[in-house]
Each structure stands twice: as C-alpha cells, then as structure tokens.
Amino acid sequence: MSEQPALLPQPILDALHCSRFLRRQLDSRPWLAERLAASIGAPLDTTALRDYLREEKVDDNNLKTVLRKMRAWVICHALVRDIARLADLTEVTETMTLLADIAVETAHDVLRAQLVARHGTPLSTDGREQEFIIIGMGKLGGRELNVSSDIDLIFVYPEDGSTAGPKIVDNFEFFTKLGRSLIQAINDITGDGQVFRVDMRLRPNGESGPLVASFDMLENYFITQGREWERYAWIKARVMTGIRSAELNAISRPFIFRKYLDFGAINAMRDLHAQIRREVARKDMVNNVKLGPGGIREIEFLAQVFQLIRGGRDTSLQIKPTLKVLGRLAERGIITHEAERELAAAYDFLRRVEHRLQYLDDAQTHNLPTDPVDQAIIARSMGFGSYEALLTELDDHRSAVAHHFNSVFGDPTEKGHDLDTLWASAGDEGRCCEEFQRLGYPDPPAAARRLATLKTGNRYLQMPPSIKTRFDPLIPRVVEAAAETADPNATFERLLDMLDAISRRGSYLALLQQYPQTLHKVAELVGASAWAAQFLNRHPILLDEALDPRLLEEEIDLNAFRTELATQLDEIEPDMERQMDLMREQHHAQVFRLLTKDIAGKLTVERHADFLSALADIMVDLTVTMCWRKIKTRHRDDPKFAVLAYGKLGGKELGYASDLDMVFVYDDDAPESAEAYTRLGQRTNTWLSAQTPAGHLFETDLRLRPNGDAGLMVVSLESFRQYQLENAWVWEHQALTRARFCAGDKAIGARFEDIRIEVLRQKRDLAKLREEVLAMRERMADGHPNKTSLFDLKHDKGGLVDVEFMVQYLVLGNAHEHSSLCGNLGNIALLHMAGELGLIPADQASAVADSYREYRRLQHGLRLNNQASRVEREQVAEAAAGVQALWQTVFGTAR
C-alpha cells in the first residue's frame, strides 16, 4: 500500500487523513482502491448495488462474504464523498439505508429459498402462501441510517399454518429459522468483517419475546401490552420485504396514532427522555452528540412527539424522516419557521460530526474525542481550522436545540405557582375571599364558593390520581388567568365549567398544563363571550387552535381550506363516519379562528357574515359530493343537482348559530333521476344536520321549498320555475329576493339565477303588492310580541325585519324597470341603489343603511353572550325613527 496512495484520486487521499478505517480497508482489500476510484464521481444507487451482487454471483455459499465486501465498498464510497464535500447528509444516510435494504433483501431471498427447498412453502390454513415481513425500525426505518449504525429489525408474518413439505414445520418455526439465519448472515463477524450489527430488542416483549410474530400476535400485543415508548419507536417502522404492508399498517397505525389530539404524549416522552438523561449522566456522556444535552436525540424527540400528538388527525404528519417532519410542523405553524431552520441546521451539523467520529475507526460512537490528534482530525474533516472553532459552533447548535427542546418538554408546573395555597385551602371561605379580593374579583365570596364546590364535588373526588396530577396545577393558573380579564367572576365560572367538561380527558388537561399561554388565550375568549365558552365546552379539541401564534394575524384562505379538506376526505373514502367527523372538526376549527378574530375586534359584522356564509357554501358543496358517492345506484358520475340558499345563508348574513334555509333542485331527464336526487337530498340533509361524536354542522330548514312541508323534498328545476311563476305566494317571492345558488352543479345554478330574475322582474300591481307585504309583516309581528320595555332589534317597529320588508317590496315592485335590483347584493347595497334610482330619498336610504348596519352589530354582540337581541330603547331611538320614517315614505302609512 506504500506505493498506492499517489495513484489514488485526490478525494480518496484527503479522506485517508481523516479515517484510519479507510486506510485499513484499502490495505486489506486490494480490489477496493480501483473500484472506489471508479465510483466516487457519483452517488451509489440501487442499480449499482444490484449490479455488484450479480457480478459476484451471490448465492448461499458466498452470501456472507459478498455482503461484507459490498459493505466495505459502500461505506468507503460514502465516507470519501462526504469528506470531499461531494455528498450532503441526505446522500450519505440514503446510501447507508440502501445498503441495509439490499443486504437484508438479498439475505432473505437466498435463505428463504434454502428453507423452502427443505420444508416447502409456508401456507395459511386455507392454502395461501405466507411471506416473511421484515420491518426496519429507528434510523433504518426513517432512511436516516448513519455510517456505523446497527439496524433495528422486527420480524412478522401474516398467518399461522404450516409448510407444504417435504419436511413439514409450522409457519412459526419456519419463519423463526429464517429470522435466525438472516441475523447471522448480516450480524456475524467473519474474516471479511460484519455487514451490520442487528438489534431485535424492539420486537414485542423485547429480548424475552419470540423472534417472530404473526399479525394476530402483534395486534394482540399492541392492544394489551403496547407501551408509550413503543408508539414512539413504531413511528419510524418501515416494511422492507413483502407485499402485505397495507394490512400491517392497518394494525400498527391505530396503536401509534390516536384519533384524538394526544397531548398526554408530552408527559410520556418527557419521562422517557428523563430516563435517557439519567443514563447519560451516569455514564458521563455529556459530550455525546447523540444522547447528550442538545443532541440528535432531542431533535428526534421534538419532531416525533408532535407526530404522536397530532398524527392521528393530520395524516400528513405520518411520515418518517426527521427533517421532513420538522418542515411539515413549520408549515402548519406548530413550530416557527425559525425553530425549524435552527433545528434542521443543528441536525445536519450534529449528524455530520457523528459520521466523522465513526469514520475514524468504523466504531459506533457518538462521543467527542479526548485525544488531541483525533480532535484535530475531526475539526479538519468538518472544515474548521481548530478543534476549538468546531466546539464553538457545536455548542451554538446544541444550545439552540436545548432551547427548543425545553420549550416543548419543560414542565411549566414543576416549580409550582404562587396561588397553590389558594387551591389547597379551598373551603376556607374567609381566607379564599381575601385572596380573590386581592386579585380584583368583584364578587370574592361567589368565587370562593365556586372553588369550594369544585374541591368537594364528586367529579373531583372520583378523579384517578393520573388526572388529578394534571388537574390540580391548572386551578391556580385558572384563577390567575380569569383575574386578568374584564369580568373575573364570569370568566372564572366559564373556565371551571370548561375544566369540568374536559376533566376526564387527560390529553386536554395536559395541553393546558404544558402550554399556559393557551389558558390565558382561552380566558380572554370565554371572558368576552359566553357563546364562545359553550362552543369550547362542546368542542374541546379546539383548545389546540389557541396554540397557533398566527391565529389573529394570518388571513384565512378558504380556497386553500376547501382544497385541503377535499383531499383529506378523498384519502379516507369510503369511511363515512370519519368523513362526517372530519368535516365537523374542520368547520369548527375555522369558526373558532373566526371567533378569535371577531372577539379581538379585527372583523366587521359584514366580513364575519361573508366568511361564515362562504364557509357554509364549502361544507354544503362537499357534502353533496360525498353523499352522491355513497349512492350505489347512481346513473351518472356527477349529479345534475343544486342547492339553493335562502334566508341568512342566501343573503350572506350567516351568524355563528344560524340555520341553513335550503331548497334542493335537479335538472336531469333520466327516468331514475327523481328517485336518485330525492335520496341525495335526504342524505345531504342528514349529513349536514346529524349529531356525531364530533358534534353537528348545521341546523337545516327545508320549508321554503315549493309547497313547503307538503311539497317534495327535491324538485326539478322546471317544476320550480313553474311553481314560482304560477303558484307561489308573494312572501315566497320576497324570500326569492335573497336566494342564491350555493352548491352543486354550477350550470343549474346559472339557470336558477335566470329563473329568479324572471320571477322578480314580473310587473306587479303595486297596490296589491303593498297590501300583501303589509299583511305578512303584521302576521310576523303578531308572532313575535315584545312585552318588555326593551327594543327588540329584529321584530319591533323600526327594526331589522322592517328594513328587510321595505327592500323586498322595492325589489318586487320595481325590478321590471330596474334589473339591477335583482342582484343578491345585501340589504345595505340595495337600499343605496334604491336611493340612487330615485325610488326612495337618498338621504333616507343612507340613514336606514347605517341603522341596519348598527342593528346587526348590536345583535351580533348580544348573541356572543347568549343574550336576547334587545337593547334600551334610548340607545337606538334615532335609528328606529329613521327606519319608521322610510316605512312611511315607502308604504304611505305608519308602521
């Protein structure tokens, strides 16, 4: 070898200064230098490795030798390219993963053929061939294998049975033999070295468990014995052999990923990491770049805990590579983009240091060297002029990792709280009153009684210890958070009601415990709105939304929301129950985001109503799509069916708890269309209104369809037209002024709009129209008497309904001359238009438009606190007078 280095390419010569292992390999394998020189210009891929195995004619006689020679070439190839800056981290880890995949696959194929020749093919009891499924775990599973890593494997097979002969054994024995032989082929140290150390301790029951497990055995283990740390380990699980991976994933996925937001995983992962930290401290491994503070393991833990928490609900997080997980978390606002950049940079740096430590002697080490010579080698291979300079950057990265790790895994309740004694003394009303008074509660005795009732109530007394350890630290923080709001007593009551609602769900308690800032945001929200408090009590999953720092500032993109939700619904087809729950969860989340902005004063009433109406349109349209798919006898791929919106949805004035007034129409000549679309209408209505574990979407009202409750649920478009032109009452034409197409076939929507305009532009007898509109208004007034001294914003004289009736009258009476009045523009815009057209005085139109806007603002604020839409008459006297004056102008009579 003394003559050889001068003949080698420069990258290999440079690498020789950084790796004693490389020198030993070149010295002991005469063939390696030439092969290495020929291959280092490009990354190795599957083709290159398979070509090598064909060249070597791998079989059962030379299997161990060929695999070990291939390993020597591959690792030296990766080493040289890495040190020469020809390969990035991803290439190095992918090359090592590829080596493991092909080595395991090759060993499996050769050894299985041997066993089949002796015992026959393993079969299920019904005669189907059974395959050996090898699962790569850890860094192998995530395609992140380091250059001197062991490989973590688990062996499973689908079904029990026996082999076909000649020497019959049961499948368990067959696959156990295959597993042992495969481990020996990869793990044994021979004169040619070793391919990989094989670690089987992640299998069910670890070293005490059987080497192989059937699908049934594995599923039973997950259900009865699977532990929290195993969920963490199985995130990275990747099937390496066999074609029945979908069945295996169906078994493992429910174990790994919970259907709910699993914030309890933080405590479990914190405990697991604490065990690792104690082991690190015991072995004095503070300079371990993997396990030490701020090391690689902390980055992996941080990424994977969020996968455990959210992966069941957000399937896009069910991925394996650490850097891709961090990127996905940043995209979703779960971590900041700055955190993602710092963690990714640290991961890259630490993994490259890790590799250089292992390049020295091909040892599975993660400890920084103490030998000055090795320190200088590591620094040089990382591109630093000195070891001290390397340590400076290393410490910066580890400090950043530790900061982000502690922000997620640090226990905010560890040091207690100043108000812990208040909770401990609950029941001592005098002492508690003093504390509540000091905190600024307007009614200290009421707060003290509420606290005592909680402490002595059956719900609290029957809590299991695991729940109490999360519940108790929250109470002092609830007291504190409520004290910072405008009405501490009301906020305190609402927060305790919320805790009572979620007290059996440790995951939600863990969320509030881990993220105190969430509790403060929730306090602001429920303190400002009783309706918001009830909404959170019904849907505590929305607590997670309060974690998003972008909640108030980021604009909500409904187009993107629709696209993503449609994709998610497609992915879980045909699971109707999950689809219905998903739509409810996503709708509630969007409403919560809007509610947060609304209470913060960042929305006008108009923008708020526009958003809720557009959101409802999306949910209705997706519902029609989902329901049509469920109809087995549908006669066409896309239904010729449309949903017409009336009332508040039609006028784009939807509120948080508004009903959906809808009419279903179709335009299809097929003989089976009436039956098919009736079924579609029924399913759509049920899908929208049904209560599921995730809640419900909307209350629906279909009574505005032709002939009301006595009419067909779904009518043809031509029947709808005929009814409107020949049989509809005037009040139905009034309703039509604010109707619009909202979902389904857009061509039908366009035809409906033509019909709507045709109906609205009919010339009417104004005297008769006036008489019928006034009669209908009186019937409405009789049905909503107000016996209080307050002003009913909606129904009293000069209120909202009066404005709506005037606008409807103006449209129906004048649209035949002024087509612009047919536009579904909203009452405010139509008032201004009527003024511009000279139908009413412009100044009165403007004043009433302002009154209408103010009424809606007041009504919205009252509904946020579950109050009736009534105010002191003096507060709106001027607005009501303006509306009544316009009424006199329009109808020539006082209201």
Side-chain angles (χ1 to χ4, degrees):
M1 181 65 191
S2 57
E3 298 293 326
Q4 196 176 39
L7 304 176
L8 294 173
Q10 192 61 44
I12 299 177
L13 294 173
D14 292 341
L16 281 168
H17 294 292
C18 303
S19 173
R20 292 183 287 266
F21 165 71
L22 177 61
R23 182 172 293 279
R24 289 197 301 271
Q25 292 299 304
L26 291 174
D27 283 346
S28 62
R29 303 180 190 273
W31 56 269
L32 179 58
E34 183 179 353
R35 177 170 284 276
L36 203 56
S39 68
I40 59 170
L44 294 178
D45 58 16
T46 304
T47 301
L49 269 60
R50 293 198 191 287
D51 286 348
Y52 176 82
L53 293 172
R54 276 193 293 272
E55 290 171 19
E56 295 290 321
K57 297 182 174 58
V58 64
D59 58 26
D60 52 352
N61 295 315
N62 65 2
L63 176 65
K64 289 185 177 181
T65 299
V66 172
L67 292 182
R68 281 150 182 76
K69 288 175 63 179
M70 181 172 70
R71 191 259 186 188
W73 169 45
V74 172
I75 191 173
C76 290
H77 180 278
L79 179 161
V80 170
R81 284 183 57 80
D82 188 5
I83 291 176
R85 303 288 195 275
L86 298 173
D88 59 11
L89 174 64
T90 300
E91 180 188 317
V92 175
T93 56
E94 176 60 24
T95 299
M96 296 309 300
T97 302
L98 192 61
L99 170 66
D101 283 359
I102 291 179
V104 167
E105 175 193 296
T106 302
H108 166 272
D109 292 350
V110 170
L111 297 170
R112 180 184 172 104
Q114 280 184 344
L115 282 173
V116 167
R118 188 180 314 143
H119 298 290
T121 301
L123 304 173
S124 63
T125 53
D126 59 359
R128 287 175 295 137
E129 182 174 347
Q130 297 298 292
E131 59 190 18
F132 191 48
I133 298 176
I134 303 172
I135 303 168
M137 304 289 284
K139 285 187 167 60
L140 172 60
R143 308 200 71 87
E144 301 166 321
L145 209 58
N146 64 48
V147 294
S148 189
S149 179
D150 56 8
I151 56 173
D152 296 288
L153 300 177
I154 292 177
F155 300 149
V156 297
Y157 61 95
E159 298 173 59
D160 286 319
S162 59
T163 62
K167 185 177 180 181
I168 296 174
V169 296
D170 62 36
N171 289 351
F172 177 81
E173 182 179 348
F174 179 93
F175 290 122
T176 299
K177 288 182 176 181
L178 179 53
R180 286 175 180 157
S181 298
L182 189 144
I183 292 170
Q184 292 169 0
I186 303 294
N187 185 79
D188 282 0
I189 300 174
T190 72
D192 293 295
Q194 183 182 44
V195 189
F196 289 100
R197 291 172 295 277
V198 177
D199 191 334
M200 300 296 300
R201 290 175 296 176
L202 290 179
R203 70 185 187 268
N205 291 307
E207 291 178 306
S208 64
L211 188 65
V212 299
S214 68
F215 280 2
D216 283 346
M217 292 168 61
L218 182 65
E219 184 171 24
N220 184 62
Y221 177 81
F222 284 154
I223 293 170
T224 61
Q225 299 181 62
R227 290 158 290 183
E228 202 72 24
W229 69 263
E230 288 177 293
R231 292 178 58 208
Y232 165 79
W234 272 82
I235 288 176
K236 296 279 192 185
R238 176 172 61 86
V239 174
M240 300 170 67
T241 61
I243 62 173
R244 296 178 68 173
S245 59
E247 296 170 67
L248 181 60
N249 288 337
I251 293 170
S252 63
R253 191 178 294 115
F255 169 67
I256 306 166
F257 300 109
R258 305 295 191 241
K259 286 185 177 180
Y260 51 84
L261 286 166
D262 187 17
F263 279 91
I266 289 181
N267 291 332
M269 296 285 277
R270 185 190 291 125
D271 293 343
L272 177 58
H273 187 262
Q275 295 174 22
I276 294 172
R277 277 271 176 93
R278 287 192 292 272
E279 187 71 9
V280 167
R282 187 177 69 80
K283 295 183 178 180
D284 192 24
M285 296 164 65
V286 69
N287 285 323
N288 187 298
V289 297
K290 177 181 179 181
L291 302 178
I296 296 165
R297 179 59 56 83
E298 291 191 353
I299 302 173
E300 294 169 338
F301 264 46
L302 190 149
Q304 287 174 266
V305 75
F306 286 117
Q307 290 182 280
L308 289 180
I309 291 170
R310 300 170 185 277
R313 306 194 77 83
D314 185 350
T315 55
S316 68
L317 291 175
Q318 295 180 14
I319 55 177
K320 306 184 192 310
T322 300
L323 291 178
K324 289 185 178 179
V325 175
L326 291 174
R328 201 68 58 85
L329 294 175
E331 288 172 11
R332 279 152 176 68
I334 298 168
I335 62 175
T336 66
H337 286 285
E338 179 186 9
E340 187 237 343
R341 284 192 296 272
E342 291 184 355
L343 290 168
Y347 185 81
D348 181 83
F349 188 88
L350 290 165
R351 290 298 307 272
R352 289 191 293 114
V353 169
E354 173 189 48
H355 286 161
R356 279 149 182 79
L357 295 173
Q358 295 169 354
Y359 291 153
L360 286 173
D361 293 299
D362 190 25
Q364 190 189 20
T365 181
H366 307 90
N367 290 318
L368 295 172
T370 55
D371 179 5
V373 173
D374 287 351
Q375 290 175 346
I377 291 173
I378 298 300
R380 175 179 174 177
S381 64
M382 285 292 292
F384 288 90
S386 68
Y387 187 63
E388 289 71 24
L390 168 66
L391 287 182
T392 298
E393 182 161 341
L394 177 65
D395 289 344
D396 285 345
H397 284 300
R398 293 177 69 176
S399 176
V401 172
H403 166 73
H404 293 299
F405 182 86
N406 290 331
S407 72
V408 172
F409 287 96
D411 184 354
T413 64
E414 188 175 17
K415 296 181 180 179
H417 192 277
D418 293 342
L419 295 174
D420 284 342
T421 55
L422 175 64
W423 177 231
S425 60
D428 184 343
E429 187 169 332
R431 183 173 178 182
C432 288
C433 279
E434 290 179 11
E435 194 64 33
F436 280 118
Q437 187 168 16
R438 182 186 69 80
L439 291 167
Y441 279 67
D443 189 351
R449 287 192 296 272
R450 182 70 172 86
L451 193 67
T453 300
L454 174 66
K455 191 75 173 279
T456 58
N458 286 336
R459 179 69 66 91
Y460 177 75
L461 295 175
Q462 292 173 7
M463 282 182 188
S466 60
I467 295 294
K468 275 189 179 178
T469 58
R470 295 175 180 175
F471 188 89
D472 287 340
L474 287 174
I475 301 303
R477 289 160 176 80
V478 164
V479 174
E480 178 185 58
E484 296 171 358
T485 64
D487 188 349
N489 277 91
T491 306
F492 185 52
E493 287 278 350
R494 293 168 188 171
L495 285 174
L496 290 187
D497 286 345
M498 182 190 73
L499 285 185
D500 187 57
I502 66 173
S503 60
R504 297 184 187 277
R505 295 293 297 272
S507 182
Y508 294 133
L509 297 176
L511 183 159
L512 295 173
Q513 177 188 1
Q514 187 66 29
Y515 298 102
Q517 72 273 23
T518 300
L519 188 57
H520 285 267
K521 287 182 181 179
V522 170
E524 292 173 14
L525 197 66
V526 304
S529 168
W531 187 88
Q534 291 178 349
F535 191 59
L536 271 175
N537 287 352
R538 289 195 301 270
H539 311 296
I541 191 174
L542 297 174
L543 290 169
D544 175 56
E545 296 293 328
L547 282 175
D548 193 338
R550 307 165 299 175
L551 204 59
L552 288 179
E553 304 305 326
E554 191 173 82
E555 286 297 319
I556 303 172
D557 185 344
L558 280 181
N559 289 330
F561 164 75
R562 189 198 192 289
T563 299
E564 184 170 354
L565 178 55
T567 300
Q568 292 174 336
L569 290 168
D570 287 343
E571 288 173 352
I572 56 177
E573 182 72 32
D575 188 341
M576 184 177 74
E577 290 183 8
R578 181 67 196 120
Q579 287 172 329
M580 291 177 74
D581 280 344
L582 176 64
M583 286 183 68
R584 283 151 177 76
E585 292 157 6
Q586 293 295 324
H587 180 262
H588 297 154
Q590 293 299 326
V591 170
F592 182 79
R593 290 168 190 166
L594 184 76
L595 180 64
T596 304
K597 289 176 179 285
D598 186 11
I599 289 173
K602 293 184 175 291
L603 293 174
T604 63
V605 173
E606 288 85 357
R607 282 189 65 201
H608 151 270
D610 283 346
F611 181 91
L612 284 177
S613 301
L615 179 60
D617 288 355
I618 290 171
M619 306 313 287
V620 174
D621 193 53
L622 289 174
T623 295
V624 170
T625 300
M626 294 297 107
C627 290
W628 186 245
R629 288 180 187 172
K630 311 300 180 192
I631 295 176
K632 295 179 180 178
T633 57
R634 58 186 184 271
H635 59 287
R636 57 168 62 247
D637 291 336
D638 298 312
K640 293 292 186 179
F641 176 92
V643 180
L644 312 179
Y646 279 71
K648 291 191 178 299
L649 178 59
K652 298 184 180 179
E653 294 183 353
L654 213 61
Y656 289 119
S658 297
D659 295 352
L660 299 191
D661 291 294
M662 300 181 297
V663 171
F664 300 143
V665 297
Y666 69 92
D667 188 19
D668 189 337
D669 294 331
E672 60 269 64
S673 59
E675 181 180 350
Y677 295 129
T678 296
R679 191 176 297 119
L680 176 58
Q682 291 168 338
R683 291 197 175 194
T684 297
N685 190 53
T686 300
W687 188 294
L688 291 170
S689 60
Q691 186 80 18
T692 78
H696 84 289
L697 280 172
F698 304 102
E699 298 293 340
T700 60
D701 191 337
L702 306 181
R703 290 175 297 176
L704 287 173
R705 66 186 185 268
N707 294 307
D709 285 338
L712 298 172
M713 177 178 279
V714 183
V715 298
S716 71
L717 192 61
E718 187 53 40
S719 296
F720 177 86
R721 176 181 177 275
Q722 183 177 357
Y723 177 84
Q724 290 292 339
L725 291 172
E726 299 175 8
N727 304 108
W729 297 81
V730 168
W731 66 264
E732 291 178 287
H733 288 176
Q734 287 179 249
L736 200 62
T737 63
R738 50 198 271 147
R740 63 182 179 85
F741 162 77
C742 81
D745 187 289
K746 292 180 179 178
I748 298 178
R751 285 199 59 202
F752 160 73
E753 184 61 16
D754 292 339
I755 294 169
R756 192 180 79 90
I757 292 172
E758 179 185 6
V759 173
L760 295 183
R761 294 200 69 190
Q762 292 179 100
K763 187 167 183 178
R764 292 172 172 84
D765 182 325
L766 287 182
K768 186 177 179 182
L769 176 65
R770 173 182 173 279
E771 179 184 336
E772 294 199 34
V773 170
L774 289 175
M776 176 55 68
R777 181 67 189 96
E778 286 309 308
R779 284 197 292 273
M780 280 193 69
D782 292 342
H784 297 86
N786 177 12
K787 298 179 181 179
T788 73
S789 61
L790 299 174
F791 179 81
D792 188 311
L793 292 168
K794 183 174 182 180
H795 295 290
D796 274 359
K797 294 178 181 179
L800 285 162
V801 174
D802 281 357
V803 178
E804 292 168 356
F805 266 66
M806 286 189 287
V807 170
Q808 291 162 9
Y809 172 80
L810 290 168
V811 171
L812 293 177
N814 298 280
H816 67 282
E817 291 184 354
H818 305 288
S819 62
S820 57
L821 289 171
C822 294
N824 191 331
L825 307 172
N827 290 310
I828 292 174
L830 287 170
L831 279 168
H832 285 300
M833 185 179 293
E836 292 166 2
L837 292 170
L839 303 177
I840 55 176
D843 58 340
Q844 282 191 306
S846 181
V848 171
D850 291 342
S851 298
Y852 188 80
R853 183 181 289 109
E854 177 64 7
Y855 286 162
R856 287 185 62 198
R857 187 188 68 79
L858 291 170
Q859 184 185 55
H860 180 63
L862 290 165
R863 286 178 173 172
L864 278 175
N865 278 297
N866 294 331
Q867 296 175 7
S869 298
R870 292 173 179 172
V871 298
E872 296 291 339
R873 291 189 178 275
E874 296 76 12
Q875 186 178 352
V876 293
E878 185 177 346
V883 174
Q884 291 183 66
L886 182 59
W887 186 277
Q888 178 75 44
T889 300
V890 171
F891 293 111
T893 183
R895 165 77 171 85

